[in-house]
Amino acid sequence: MINYSFIIPHKNTPDLLRKCIDSIPHREDIQIIVVDDNSDTDKVDFEHFPGLNEPCTEVYLTKEGKGAGYARNVGLEHAVGKWIVFADADDFFHTKVLEEAMDSYKNQNQDVVFFMGDSIKLPSGGKGGRGSALNEALKEILRTGDCTKAVLLSIPWRKFFSHKMIKDNNIRFNEVICSNDVVFMGRVAAAAERLVASSLCIYCATEHEGSIITNKSLKNRLVRFYEECENVKILKQTKYKHEPSIYYWHFSEWFHVYKLDKYKAITLIPHALKTVGLPFVNQLFRAKLGLKREH
């Protein structure tokens, strides 16, 4: 029986992918799925691709170049495990702690299990900040039992997802150039009922130049804004409809667009109002002084 299916989208970082694969405990109850998103031939040796022809590992070389969301969806099509675990190819697991978590939860009947994580900067190895907001949310779960803030954060890694929940609710990633995890986690929040957090630190996220999270272009910000719009529409139909943070992240992306292109941000206001309504107006007035300073 396969208990865990690990899904890893990859693009142009074979050395880091090798480290990620090697950090997963290789045992009989796992399936590792690597989906390459049309990497460049001058950066990847496809004849010696990490994971190729290795036990427990399946490699899918896609040529569509549709991004990590598409690659993760391909992985979901091939996953057979009871639990789905996502990782970015440039991150890695803390192997011994991950194996402890896998042994602890393999027979549990939760929809989502949240875990702690840490972050490092490459190549220096210094301490990074990725995932710090999720750590704070998990501390609140461990203290109060309230999973709201954690499940509304758009981070697919550092979690065990019930495969049954994903299949029963047909949950998939939006196939966009960035921020594909925003709506995915909104759909998870809408579907998941049984949520639990662990204090185990199983995952290390990396920060380095050239990664998609360092690209703060107007194009990427606009994609994120529209993803947040769709996410709000989903969450307004759930028990989280009165949770302020679902509007905060929507406004935050609009504000980032404003800082890059004020005219474009102004043209987005009608769409923002239609999506969010009065909470967007409230956020706008709260940021009024900040907007004036930007002028």
XYZ file of all heavy atoms in Angstrom, residues 40 53 56 58 74 77 79 87 106 110 145 158 160 177 219 228 233 238 254 257 264 269 271 280-281:
209
model
N 15.228 23.824 -19.647
C 16.140 24.135 -20.751
C 17.208 23.053 -20.872
O 17.790 22.615 -19.870
C 16.818 25.488 -20.509
C 15.803 26.619 -20.372
O 14.734 26.517 -21.005
O 16.099 27.578 -19.640
N 14.590 6.331 -13.458
C 14.856 4.897 -13.280
C 15.279 4.545 -11.850
O 16.008 3.564 -11.638
C 15.923 4.420 -14.275
C 15.506 4.640 -15.716
O 14.357 4.413 -16.078
N 16.438 5.108 -16.539
N 10.812 3.744 -6.488
C 9.761 4.569 -5.881
C 9.566 5.906 -6.591
O 8.752 6.726 -6.146
C 10.048 4.863 -4.402
S 10.380 3.418 -3.401
N 8.858 8.319 -10.067
C 8.346 8.440 -11.427
C 8.684 9.830 -11.942
O 8.461 10.830 -11.249
C 6.825 8.238 -11.440
C 6.388 6.905 -10.860
C 4.883 6.840 -10.602
O 4.145 7.642 -11.238
O 4.458 6.027 -9.775
N -0.460 17.429 -13.169
C 0.012 16.183 -13.787
C 0.372 15.185 -12.693
O 0.031 13.992 -12.764
C 1.226 16.449 -14.705
C 1.852 15.132 -15.163
C 0.815 17.276 -15.918
N -2.621 13.539 -11.204
C -3.217 12.516 -12.069
C -2.560 11.151 -11.867
O -3.190 10.112 -12.092
C -3.098 12.936 -13.534
C -3.949 14.131 -13.912
C -5.436 13.874 -13.697
O -5.896 12.769 -14.021
O -6.123 14.778 -13.181
N -0.892 10.253 -8.898
C -0.731 9.929 -7.483
C -1.678 8.807 -7.057
O -2.834 8.763 -7.476
C -0.982 11.179 -6.637
N 6.152 19.421 -2.632
C 7.430 20.066 -2.348
C 7.852 20.853 -3.571
O 7.559 20.459 -4.710
C 8.499 19.030 -1.993
N 0.290 8.139 9.182
C -0.095 7.322 8.025
C -1.466 6.671 8.190
O -2.188 6.456 7.210
C 0.972 6.271 7.728
C 1.164 5.230 8.805
C 2.273 4.248 8.407
C 2.490 3.197 9.488
N 3.589 2.261 9.093
N -7.379 12.465 8.915
C -7.548 13.911 8.829
C -7.688 14.328 7.359
O -7.394 13.553 6.440
C -6.346 14.627 9.451
C -6.030 14.211 10.873
C -7.089 14.642 11.862
O -7.828 15.583 11.620
N -7.171 13.948 12.997
N -6.185 25.609 18.997
C -6.931 24.641 18.203
C -7.610 25.233 16.988
O -8.248 24.517 16.215
N 4.637 21.655 3.349
C 4.557 21.510 4.809
C 3.192 21.019 5.271
O 2.741 21.323 6.359
C 4.914 22.828 5.510
C 6.361 23.195 5.368
C 6.652 24.588 5.853
N 6.024 24.879 7.136
C 6.115 26.061 7.740
N 6.786 27.039 7.152
N 5.533 26.255 8.901
N 0.319 17.471 4.922
C -0.171 16.211 4.380
C -1.633 16.445 4.009
O -2.447 16.815 4.854
C -0.102 15.076 5.416
C 1.283 14.639 5.796
C 1.468 13.741 6.853
C 2.411 15.092 5.129
C 2.729 13.314 7.217
C 3.687 14.676 5.487
C 3.844 13.780 6.539
N 0.940 31.494 -14.522
C 2.406 31.605 -14.518
C 2.983 31.702 -13.105
O 4.170 31.440 -12.899
C 2.875 32.804 -15.357
C 2.304 34.118 -14.788
C 2.499 32.618 -16.824
C 2.892 35.361 -15.436
N 3.444 42.125 -14.124
C 2.729 40.994 -14.727
C 2.397 39.941 -13.673
O 1.251 39.466 -13.593
C 3.581 40.374 -15.837
C 2.928 39.195 -16.533
C 3.836 38.642 -17.620
C 3.206 37.456 -18.322
N 4.099 36.895 -19.375
N -6.273 36.089 -6.246
C -6.877 36.447 -4.963
C -8.364 36.781 -5.134
O -9.175 36.494 -4.249
C -6.139 37.630 -4.331
C -4.726 37.312 -3.856
C -4.684 36.382 -2.659
O -5.757 36.098 -2.071
O -3.586 35.919 -2.310
N -13.958 34.901 -3.926
C -15.261 34.412 -4.365
C -15.559 33.025 -3.808
O -16.691 32.719 -3.420
C -15.322 34.394 -5.901
C -15.356 35.774 -6.534
C -15.362 35.669 -8.046
C -15.369 37.042 -8.703
N -15.320 36.958 -10.189
N -18.123 30.090 2.108
C -17.766 29.107 3.135
C -17.913 29.704 4.531
O -18.273 30.873 4.695
C -16.306 28.642 2.955
O -15.417 29.711 3.349
C -16.022 28.257 1.511
N -3.583 44.209 -4.575
C -3.962 45.437 -5.271
C -2.989 46.560 -4.921
O -2.558 47.318 -5.787
C -5.389 45.858 -4.887
C -5.801 47.139 -5.572
C -6.410 47.245 -6.780
C -5.602 48.479 -5.099
N -6.598 48.576 -7.102
C -6.112 49.362 -6.085
C -5.038 49.027 -3.949
C -6.084 50.745 -5.955
C -4.995 50.402 -3.809
C -5.520 51.252 -4.806
N 0.237 46.260 -6.798
C 0.062 46.760 -8.167
C 0.101 48.285 -8.171
O 0.720 48.912 -9.034
C -1.266 46.248 -8.772
C -1.532 46.909 -10.131
C -1.231 44.729 -8.928
N -2.905 51.548 -13.558
C -3.435 50.195 -13.697
C -4.213 49.791 -12.442
O -5.290 49.181 -12.532
C -2.293 49.195 -13.941
C -2.761 47.769 -14.175
C -3.605 47.684 -15.434
C -4.069 46.267 -15.701
N -4.944 46.173 -16.904
N -10.066 48.911 -9.627
C -10.964 49.154 -8.499
C -12.381 48.632 -8.744
O -12.959 47.989 -7.862
C -10.968 50.652 -8.126
C -9.630 51.014 -7.470
C -12.116 50.976 -7.180
C -9.504 52.474 -7.100
N -13.390 46.112 -10.466
C -13.367 44.652 -10.323
C -13.186 44.274 -8.854
O -13.819 43.327 -8.361
C -12.231 44.057 -11.160
C -12.220 42.552 -11.164
N -13.114 41.800 -11.893
C -11.436 41.657 -10.513
C -12.877 40.522 -11.702
N -11.863 40.401 -10.859
N -13.184 46.095 0.780
C -12.133 46.707 -0.023
C -12.108 48.219 0.196
O -11.038 48.837 0.298
C -12.336 46.405 -1.512
C -11.268 47.003 -2.392
C -10.035 46.387 -2.510
C -11.482 48.193 -3.075
C -9.041 46.938 -3.310
C -10.499 48.750 -3.861
C -9.271 48.114 -3.982
N -13.274 48.839 0.282
C -13.345 50.282 0.546
C -12.720 50.599 1.902
O -11.955 51.568 2.047
C -14.812 50.770 0.507
C -14.887 52.258 0.856
C -15.420 50.518 -0.868
